[in-house]
Amino acid sequence: QDTWTSTGNQLVLTATAGVTYDGKTYGSGTRARLIPGGPSSAPAVYGIVMIPVSNVIFRGFEINGNNVYTGGLYIGNTAGADISNIEIDDCVVHNVGDPNKFSWGYSILVSVDTAEKTVSNVTIKNTEVYESPANEGISVYAKWGVYNSRNNNILIRNCYIHDMGTDGIEVSNHSDNVTIEYCTLANNGTHGIMTRVSPSGEGPGNVIEAPNNLIIRYNIINDNLENGIAFTNPRDFVQTADIYGNLIYNNGTNGG
């Protein structure tokens, strides 16, 4: 139930393969809090928590970004190899990023930054993400600048994502078999859910597929500033999705 603080805006924890990190069941049951210690003039390269290895369970923590120039929880980034079997459960991630400085400091990021490598079998469940000004709540992002980087078999279940600066959830580029279910996405700054293919101006030749086999079901998507669910595919790749059983209302208050 302690608070763990880094120096400046740097990371607090880098995971070790095969380890379960439990921030809630020890002691009084109060969540352990991970927090960057102070501001910096430059963005942190990494998140407050990095999981670049396989077979990790991370549950019961609060990641408080303290509104400094940093990222939140990064899965796969800096791995340099295929990784798999990551579970995020019962966490709270909030106030990631400086509201006065634009940066790509993601709250929760699933991505790999080595060509032709894959992050697979990731579950993010029972988690709340909120009030982060810079970017998406959860970003499943095959990076446009990394040739044929991939995400596969990602499950986002029963998460509450609200009051973000941009999208609640974004799924980008070569990210296959992503399921988003039983989530609530509300009051976000652009879309509730966005699926995206980077335009050709971003890394021609690096992006070779759109998200495929996407499932969006049984979510509540409301009061987002633009669309409830949005698709962009400027490269005209084949894209497939099943969308059913969602309650979508009162979006587009900005004319989206």
Side-chain angles (χ1 to χ4, degrees):
Q1 66 267 30
D2 212 337
T3 295
W4 304 87
T5 305
S6 68
T7 300
N9 67 341
Q10 299 304 307
L11 63 91
V12 179
L13 172 67
T14 300
T16 298
V19 173
T20 294
Y21 297 87
D22 194 323
K24 192 174 178 183
T25 59
Y26 178 81
S28 68
T30 301
R31 292 179 190 276
R33 176 183 296 173
L34 309 178
I35 183 170
S40 173
S41 59
V45 177
Y46 310 126
I48 298 164
V49 175
M50 299 289 291
I51 305 179
V53 290
S54 297
N55 304 315
V56 171
I57 298 173
F58 184 83
R59 64 177 176 233
F61 286 88
E62 176 188 354
I63 299 175
N64 179 356
N66 201 24
N67 284 130
V68 304
Y69 211 15
T70 189
L73 170 59
Y74 283 18
I75 302 164
N77 209 48
T78 74
D82 294 339
I83 70 165
S84 62
N85 303 325
I86 312 297
E87 179 179 303
I88 310 301
D89 184 20
D90 190 21
C91 290
V92 177
V93 183
H94 64 96
N95 294 97
V96 174
D98 186 336
N100 299 311
K101 297 177 182 178
F102 179 79
S103 72
W104 298 103
Y106 301 91
S107 291
I108 298 179
L109 173 66
V110 181
S111 185
V112 67
D113 50 8
T114 301
E116 299 190 300
K117 300 303 180 185
T118 301
V119 181
S120 61
N121 302 332
V122 175
T123 296
I124 304 169
K125 62 182 181 179
N126 309 319
T127 289
E128 182 179 9
V129 186
Y130 66 93
E131 291 183 3
S132 297
N135 231 286
E136 299 87 17
I138 299 175
S139 183
V140 182
Y141 177 32
K143 294 182 178 179
W144 63 264
V146 181
Y147 175 74
N148 196 24
S149 65
R150 302 181 298 276
N151 301 304
N152 184 50
N153 194 25
I154 314 298
L155 173 62
I156 303 171
R157 173 182 286 164
N158 193 37
C159 293
Y160 180 28
I161 305 171
H162 60 98
D163 298 290
M164 299 298 301
T166 60
D167 305 319
I169 296 173
E170 183 175 295
V171 181
S172 298
N173 300 325
H174 197 168
S175 298
D176 293 335
N177 303 302
V178 178
T179 298
I180 303 168
E181 62 183 12
Y182 304 107
C183 294
T184 297
L185 303 116
N187 298 303
N188 295 298
T190 50
H191 314 293
I193 297 172
M194 170 78 156
T195 79
R196 179 178 181 270
V197 175
S198 295
S200 58
E202 294 183 358
N206 288 331
V207 178
I208 63 172
E209 288 193 33
N212 276 289
N213 300 323
L214 176 67
I215 298 174
I216 302 174
R217 61 186 178 189
Y218 309 131
N219 302 286
I220 300 173
I221 307 172
N222 66 281
D223 294 287
N224 298 286
L225 191 61
E226 296 187 18
N227 300 286
I229 302 174
F231 288 81
T232 66
N233 188 355
R235 303 191 195 213
D236 294 326
F237 291 147
V238 172
Q239 185 171 8
T240 59
D242 289 328
I243 303 171
Y244 57 91
N246 301 284
L247 180 61
I248 305 172
Y249 67 94
N250 203 40
N251 300 287
T253 53
N254 195 33

Short mmCIF file of all heavy atoms in Angstrom, two decimals, residues 1-5 12 23 31-35 61-64 94:
data_model
loop_
_atom_site.label_atom_id
_atom_site.label_comp_id
_atom_site.label_asym_id
_atom_site.label_seq_id
_atom_site.Cartn_x
_atom_site.Cartn_y
_atom_site.Cartn_z
N GLN A 1 0.82 -1.22 0.00
CA GLN A 1 0.00 0.00 0.00
C GLN A 1 0.85 1.26 0.00
O GLN A 1 0.36 2.34 0.29
CB GLN A 1 -0.96 0.00 1.20
CG GLN A 1 -0.29 0.09 2.57
CD GLN A 1 -0.01 -1.26 3.21
OE1 GLN A 1 0.21 -2.25 2.53
NE2 GLN A 1 -0.02 -1.30 4.53
N ASP A 2 2.13 1.14 -0.34
CA ASP A 2 3.04 2.27 -0.31
C ASP A 2 2.93 3.08 -1.60
O ASP A 2 2.26 2.70 -2.55
CB ASP A 2 4.48 1.76 -0.12
CG ASP A 2 5.35 2.74 0.65
OD1 ASP A 2 5.00 3.94 0.66
OD2 ASP A 2 6.35 2.32 1.23
N THR A 3 3.61 4.23 -1.62
CA THR A 3 3.76 5.03 -2.83
C THR A 3 5.22 4.95 -3.27
O THR A 3 6.13 5.19 -2.48
CB THR A 3 3.37 6.50 -2.56
OG1 THR A 3 1.99 6.56 -2.24
CG2 THR A 3 3.63 7.36 -3.79
N TRP A 4 5.42 4.62 -4.54
CA TRP A 4 6.76 4.43 -5.10
C TRP A 4 6.99 5.53 -6.12
O TRP A 4 6.23 5.66 -7.08
CB TRP A 4 6.87 3.05 -5.73
CG TRP A 4 6.53 1.97 -4.74
CD1 TRP A 4 5.29 1.47 -4.47
CD2 TRP A 4 7.43 1.30 -3.86
NE1 TRP A 4 5.37 0.52 -3.48
CE2 TRP A 4 6.67 0.38 -3.09
CE3 TRP A 4 8.81 1.37 -3.64
CZ2 TRP A 4 7.24 -0.44 -2.13
CZ3 TRP A 4 9.39 0.55 -2.69
CH2 TRP A 4 8.60 -0.34 -1.94
N THR A 5 8.02 6.32 -5.92
CA THR A 5 8.22 7.54 -6.68
C THR A 5 9.57 7.50 -7.39
O THR A 5 10.59 7.13 -6.80
CB THR A 5 8.17 8.77 -5.75
OG1 THR A 5 6.93 8.75 -5.04
CG2 THR A 5 8.26 10.06 -6.54
N VAL A 12 9.29 4.00 -13.07
CA VAL A 12 9.35 3.49 -11.70
C VAL A 12 9.68 2.00 -11.70
O VAL A 12 10.44 1.52 -10.87
CB VAL A 12 8.02 3.74 -10.96
CG1 VAL A 12 8.07 3.17 -9.55
CG2 VAL A 12 7.70 5.23 -10.93
N GLY A 23 -0.31 -5.27 -6.52
CA GLY A 23 -0.22 -4.05 -5.74
C GLY A 23 -1.34 -3.84 -4.75
O GLY A 23 -1.43 -2.77 -4.14
N ARG A 31 -4.31 0.20 -2.75
CA ARG A 31 -3.47 0.06 -3.92
C ARG A 31 -2.09 0.69 -3.70
O ARG A 31 -1.99 1.81 -3.20
CB ARG A 31 -4.08 0.77 -5.13
CG ARG A 31 -5.34 0.15 -5.65
CD ARG A 31 -5.86 0.98 -6.84
NE ARG A 31 -7.19 0.55 -7.20
CZ ARG A 31 -7.46 -0.48 -7.99
NH1 ARG A 31 -6.46 -1.17 -8.50
NH2 ARG A 31 -8.70 -0.82 -8.26
N ALA A 32 -1.06 -0.01 -4.13
CA ALA A 32 0.26 0.63 -4.24
C ALA A 32 0.19 1.65 -5.37
O ALA A 32 -0.42 1.41 -6.41
CB ALA A 32 1.33 -0.41 -4.51
N ARG A 33 0.83 2.78 -5.16
CA ARG A 33 0.80 3.88 -6.13
C ARG A 33 2.19 4.06 -6.72
O ARG A 33 3.18 4.16 -6.01
CB ARG A 33 0.34 5.17 -5.45
CG ARG A 33 0.38 6.38 -6.37
CD ARG A 33 -0.01 7.65 -5.63
NE ARG A 33 -1.40 7.57 -5.16
CZ ARG A 33 -1.96 8.48 -4.38
NH1 ARG A 33 -1.25 9.51 -3.92
NH2 ARG A 33 -3.23 8.34 -4.02
N LEU A 34 2.24 4.15 -8.06
CA LEU A 34 3.48 4.42 -8.78
C LEU A 34 3.35 5.80 -9.41
O LEU A 34 2.40 6.06 -10.15
CB LEU A 34 3.70 3.36 -9.86
CG LEU A 34 3.61 1.90 -9.38
CD1 LEU A 34 3.81 0.94 -10.54
CD2 LEU A 34 4.60 1.61 -8.28
N ILE A 35 4.32 6.66 -9.14
CA ILE A 35 4.16 8.06 -9.51
C ILE A 35 5.51 8.67 -9.88
O ILE A 35 6.51 8.44 -9.20
CB ILE A 35 3.49 8.85 -8.36
CG1 ILE A 35 3.24 10.31 -8.72
CG2 ILE A 35 4.27 8.74 -7.07
CD1 ILE A 35 2.36 11.04 -7.72
N PHE A 61 -2.60 -2.06 -9.13
CA PHE A 61 -1.80 -0.86 -8.93
C PHE A 61 -2.56 0.40 -9.37
O PHE A 61 -3.44 0.36 -10.22
CB PHE A 61 -0.50 -0.93 -9.73
CG PHE A 61 0.51 -1.88 -9.17
CD1 PHE A 61 0.51 -3.22 -9.53
CD2 PHE A 61 1.48 -1.44 -8.28
CE1 PHE A 61 1.44 -4.10 -9.02
CE2 PHE A 61 2.42 -2.31 -7.76
CZ PHE A 61 2.41 -3.65 -8.13
N GLU A 62 -2.16 1.52 -8.80
CA GLU A 62 -2.53 2.83 -9.31
C GLU A 62 -1.30 3.45 -9.94
O GLU A 62 -0.24 3.57 -9.30
CB GLU A 62 -3.04 3.74 -8.19
CG GLU A 62 -3.34 5.15 -8.67
CD GLU A 62 -3.66 6.12 -7.53
OE1 GLU A 62 -3.77 5.68 -6.37
OE2 GLU A 62 -3.78 7.33 -7.82
N ILE A 63 -1.43 3.85 -11.20
CA ILE A 63 -0.38 4.61 -11.87
C ILE A 63 -0.88 6.04 -12.01
O ILE A 63 -1.80 6.32 -12.77
CB ILE A 63 -0.05 4.01 -13.25
CG1 ILE A 63 0.46 2.57 -13.09
CG2 ILE A 63 0.98 4.86 -13.98
CD1 ILE A 63 0.69 1.85 -14.40
N ASN A 64 -0.28 6.91 -11.23
CA ASN A 64 -0.66 8.32 -11.22
C ASN A 64 0.41 9.10 -11.96
O ASN A 64 1.52 9.28 -11.47
CB ASN A 64 -0.78 8.82 -9.78
CG ASN A 64 -1.14 10.29 -9.69
OD1 ASN A 64 -1.23 10.99 -10.70
ND2 ASN A 64 -1.34 10.78 -8.47
N HIS A 94 -4.12 7.21 -14.48
CA HIS A 94 -4.74 8.53 -14.65
C HIS A 94 -3.71 9.66 -14.66
O HIS A 94 -2.58 9.50 -14.20
CB HIS A 94 -5.78 8.78 -13.56
CG HIS A 94 -5.23 8.84 -12.17
ND1 HIS A 94 -4.90 10.02 -11.54
CD2 HIS A 94 -4.93 7.85 -11.27
CE1 HIS A 94 -4.44 9.76 -10.32
NE2 HIS A 94 -4.45 8.45 -10.14
#
